[in-house]
Amino acid sequence: MKPVLLVIAHGSRDPRHAATVHALVRRVRSLRPDVRVETGFLDFNIPSVQGVFESLAAEGVRDVVALPLLLTRAFHAKADIPAVLRDAPPQLRIRQAEVLGPSPLLLSALERRLYEAGLTPADKSSTGVVLASAGSTDPEAIAVIADIAREWRHTGWCAVRPAFASAALPRTEDAVRELRALGCAKVAVAPYVLAPGFLPDRIARGAAEADVLAEVLGPAPEVARVLLRRYDAAAARGLLRLTVSA
């Protein structure tokens, strides 16, 4: 049997967050009906990751791929998720999948959202884009966002600038003004976030002076495909059972 795929989301008090996560998981299930897909949350929402692990163990499940629903390898990927995996029932054999980003498919999803918001491919050369992420204190995560912005710029946009809703600069509104000053005819904000919530709302407020604000990535088909690629890669790897240190 194929390993169960456990999608691990952060969780939020904002009900839109869980609704979006569940919509993405439904799309994943529709693409791969041969894989059992479950969802667990680190905080705020149910079921908890630990609760899902205990239920799977009680059913006799043995193999699980735990997939962090994250776009970068920041604190949650490096600390929170390994900690919760170490507390899983010992009879579970767990492989931890990589985070979703970076991936060319995610750039395709970002463009999809911009076109859905009103841009067309003909607008690319005259449009500056703010790649707006949640932000992090982890320099690796910040560097990845900057690298994605540089890569995306090479696909034909007038300019692409990274921005952050917290923990790092510039803010979305400052990046919008910078692109205006560069002479871009239009400025668009592309939230590089998976689900609505407090920080995506801050991004939206910072986009007040932009011409276009795209929706979050959410259940875009490209996101679901990345998720399944990460699952397949983890399922094919040797077992990475995390054990509690003595």
Side-chain angles (χ1 to χ4, degrees):
M1 293 181 62
K2 294 181 182 296
V4 171
L5 168 56
L6 174 58
V7 176
I8 301 179
H10 181 270
S12 172
R13 292 186 178 90
D14 189 322
R16 297 174 297 168
H17 174 89
T20 302
V21 170
H22 290 311
L24 174 59
V25 169
R26 285 194 296 272
R27 185 179 288 276
V28 171
R29 289 182 180 131
S30 72
L31 292 174
R32 289 286 295 276
D34 59 319
V35 175
R36 178 177 174 181
V37 187
E38 300 291 343
T39 308
F41 295 91
L42 292 173
D43 206 353
F44 301 116
N45 302 106
I46 55 173
S48 68
V49 176
Q50 188 64 25
V52 176
F53 278 146
E54 290 172 358
S55 295
L56 292 174
E59 291 178 31
V61 170
R62 290 297 175 263
D63 291 302
V64 178
V65 168
L67 191 149
L69 197 60
L70 300 168
L71 294 172
T72 60
R73 273 186 47 79
F75 180 80
H76 295 305
K78 295 177 179 179
D80 288 349
I81 289 176
V84 77
L85 297 189
R86 284 193 293 269
D87 289 336
Q91 60 266 47
L92 292 177
R93 297 184 291 260
I94 300 172
R95 297 170 175 90
Q96 181 177 343
E98 296 295 330
V99 298
L100 300 183
S103 167
L105 281 171
L106 294 178
L107 285 181
S108 296
L110 287 166
E111 294 210 3
R112 169 193 290 275
R113 292 301 189 223
L114 286 171
Y115 296 148
E116 290 170 350
L119 292 179
T120 70
D123 294 318
K124 285 188 80 167
S125 62
S126 60
T127 300
V129 178
V130 177
L131 178 68
S133 76
S136 172
T137 57
D138 189 312
E140 177 187 350
I142 297 302
V144 166
I145 300 301
D147 288 344
I148 293 170
R150 283 191 290 270
E151 179 182 347
W152 204 13
R153 163 68 180 85
H154 294 150
T155 66
W157 296 100
C158 175
V160 180
R161 293 290 185 272
F164 307 95
S166 69
L169 296 174
R171 295 286 183 258
T172 301
E173 54 268 33
D174 297 324
V176 168
R177 292 172 188 137
E178 180 184 352
L179 291 171
R180 291 275 188 223
L182 282 174
C184 298
K186 291 183 179 180
V187 176
V189 174
Y192 189 60
V193 292
L194 288 167
F198 176 76
L199 293 178
D201 284 349
R202 181 179 288 177
I203 290 171
R205 291 193 297 272
E209 297 179 16
D211 300 293
V212 172
L213 170 63
E215 293 292 331
V216 300
L217 293 171
E222 297 88 350
V223 177
R225 287 165 59 197
V226 173
L227 197 153
L228 285 168
R229 287 187 181 183
R230 299 292 185 258
Y231 165 81
D232 287 335
R237 285 202 312 263
L239 190 64
L240 293 178
R241 175 60 185 150
L242 297 175
T243 59
V244 181
S245 58

